[in-house]
Amino acid sequence: MKFSCICSTSDVVDIAATANTSSHNGDEEFRLFSYNELKAATTGFKSSNKIGQGGFASVYKGRLKDGSVVAVKVLCIERESMRGEREFVSELTALSGARHENLVRLLGCCVDGASRYLVYDYMENNSITHTFLGRDIDRGSFSWKQRTDISLGIARGLAYLHEEITPHIVHRDIKARNILLDQNFVPKVADFGLARLFRDDSSYISTRVAGTLGYLSPEYAISGHLTRKSDVYSYGVLLLEIVSGRSVVAFDVERGEQFLVDKAWEMYNADELVQLVDPELKGDFSKEESVRFMKVGLLCVQEKSKLRPRMSSVIKMLTNEVEIKHSGISKPGFVADLMDVKVRAGHASSSQSFSPL
């Protein structure tokens, strides 16, 4: 389906019809909500119901008339760039027909004049960042079993997007903040506002890079060359973050800024990867499994995208179905300077359209 810059109500009706035609396994139908329904559900978008805030959107907890609890994303439309509108369309096209245990479920939407709303299942445990990896969080409560289950769940969600659904979907902003957790801590890949659809194995050249510094693959950040391997890179960074409990970028008094992928490479070469495991686990983890997970992370963040594995292969390596070839692990690539990030036609500036860490 093709869209103009403004997504009309008729466009949304077409999406709803397509999504409901392709729905299966007894899933709820994609719904078109009225503004009044969402206003009532969120008690007039009351500030006490706000559960999230981004650059172009706010998210509110709400309760529908049938008693179901939902999350309502309210998008702010920026007139010059139409950023909020583009994110609305991206989320609709990516998620309206997608169903997987490890993807957040889009229940429906609302177009009310110039206002845009998206309605999702409510995630009781917020995001990985909020629950396990944020500042002042007790990471010791993030057990090794939870870390492995969450890592595998994210990988399965990405494998579905990259290899199972047609057209394939590249998320473009995989990071801890965009992985939500339900009441049972099952991970759900969320926030598809930057997603791109691929109808074959071709790549995409972007004139404006979007994403988050530290998670950006070098080829995409520097040249705008986007493929599914760009998501694989971001996943590798996230995997190292989950195992180590470290920030993607940390500051060392002696060495200054240090990227997690660089630290992991250093530890790998010294045969000390196990020393990188989160000390908050206090030794309560499988050394063999933790080292395997970090080696998989390093495979995912290799500088050359063609050397990175597909997500289906990542799952097999994480579950030890296939052996990791140590000779296949090469030096990771990363973008250490904002000025290296491609903005428009290769001209770098300080106005990149990506998120801070």
Side-chain angles (χ1 to χ4, degrees):
M1 183 177 297
K2 294 182 179 180
F3 292 91
S4 60
C5 292
I6 302 296
C7 187
S8 67
T9 302
S10 61
D11 288 329
V12 176
V13 170
D14 288 343
I15 289 177
T18 302
N20 292 333
T21 299
S22 62
S23 65
H24 50 81
N25 297 330
D27 285 330
E28 280 187 32
E29 287 193 346
F30 183 88
R31 288 182 57 189
L32 299 181
F33 291 88
S34 70
Y35 170 75
N36 286 336
E37 279 183 277
L38 301 183
K39 183 179 179 181
T42 59
T43 320
F45 300 99
K46 195 174 180 181
S47 59
S48 60
N49 285 328
K50 183 181 285 190
I51 55 175
Q53 176 71 53
F56 291 86
S58 299
V59 183
Y60 296 83
K61 181 179 179 180
R63 186 178 296 275
L64 301 176
K65 281 187 176 180
D66 63 6
S68 57
V69 181
V70 296
V72 181
K73 179 185 280 190
V74 182
L75 292 121
C76 174
I77 310 300
E78 188 182 67
R79 291 187 178 182
E80 291 186 6
S81 69
M82 297 303 293
R83 170 76 183 268
E85 180 74 13
R86 292 202 312 271
E87 292 193 3
F88 176 74
V89 172
S90 292
E91 295 251 8
L92 279 179
T93 53
L95 284 178
S96 57
R99 292 291 184 269
H100 189 275
E101 181 186 17
N102 298 115
L103 300 185
V104 68
R105 187 165 60 133
L106 179 63
L107 301 176
C109 67
C110 170
V111 172
D112 183 63
S115 300
R116 303 289 183 267
Y117 306 86
L118 294 164
V119 184
Y120 307 88
D121 279 332
Y122 176 69
M123 295 290 108
E124 288 84 353
N125 286 301
N126 209 295
S127 71
I128 293 179
T129 295
H130 182 273
T131 305
F132 291 129
L133 295 177
R135 293 178 181 176
D136 303 321
I137 294 292
D138 176 18
R139 295 196 315 275
S141 65
F142 192 10
S143 72
W144 179 248
K145 178 67 164 58
Q146 284 179 315
R147 295 179 198 226
T148 58
D149 287 348
I150 287 172
S151 298
L152 275 166
I154 300 166
R156 290 181 178 121
L158 284 174
Y160 170 79
L161 294 173
H162 289 183
E163 303 171 35
E164 298 175 37
I165 194 171
T166 303
H168 306 310
I169 298 172
V170 176
H171 185 279
R172 281 211 297 173
D173 200 18
I174 294 297
K175 59 183 177 182
R177 194 177 301 278
N178 286 342
I179 307 299
L180 304 182
L181 303 168
D182 71 8
Q183 61 181 348
N184 298 314
F185 296 98
V186 174
K188 312 281 184 177
V189 179
D191 200 340
F192 284 74
L194 300 178
R196 291 283 182 181
L197 275 60
F198 287 72
R199 299 193 177 277
D200 50 35
D201 288 330
S202 63
S203 60
Y204 171 83
I205 302 297
S206 176
T207 56
R208 179 178 284 275
V209 168
T212 302
L213 187 66
Y215 294 92
L216 287 172
S217 65
E219 75 281 354
Y220 175 52
I222 296 169
S223 68
H225 187 214
L226 179 71
T227 68
R228 286 173 283 183
K229 295 296 182 72
S230 304
D231 275 356
V232 173
Y233 180 95
S234 302
Y235 174 79
V237 176
L238 178 56
L239 182 58
L240 292 171
E241 192 178 7
I242 290 171
V243 174
S244 70
R246 291 173 176 245
S247 299
V248 177
V249 183
F251 184 81
D252 183 270
V253 176
E254 295 181 359
R255 304 177 63 173
E257 279 191 340
Q258 186 173 32
F259 281 70
L260 178 55
V261 296
D262 197 30
K263 179 65 176 177
W265 176 246
E266 177 187 311
M267 301 294 274
Y268 169 74
N269 283 320
D271 197 23
E272 295 178 347
L273 268 179
V274 72
Q275 302 299 322
L276 195 59
V277 179
D278 193 345
E280 293 299 317
L281 287 170
K282 302 188 187 306
D284 189 14
F285 61 92
S286 165
K287 291 183 179 180
E288 179 184 347
E289 192 172 36
S290 65
V291 170
R292 182 168 73 247
F293 271 51
M294 284 189 283
K295 286 178 179 177
V296 173
L298 283 169
L299 281 171
C300 292
V301 298
Q302 292 179 105
E303 187 165 16
K304 293 183 179 179
S305 61
K306 66 180 181 181
L307 297 179
R308 299 173 205 149
R310 290 158 59 99
M311 288 308 304
S312 55
S313 297
V314 166
I315 294 168
K316 290 178 180 178
M317 286 186 284
L318 289 176
T319 56
N320 209 22
E321 290 180 51
V322 298
E323 189 177 344
I324 298 172
K325 295 181 179 179
H326 294 259
S327 59
I329 302 177
S330 62
K331 186 177 181 179
F334 59 92
V335 180
D337 193 330
L338 294 181
M339 296 307 292
D340 288 336
V341 179
K342 177 187 175 84
V343 181
R344 288 188 184 275
H347 297 296
S349 78
S350 59
S351 60
Q352 287 80 7
S353 59
F354 53 76
S355 307
L357 290 171

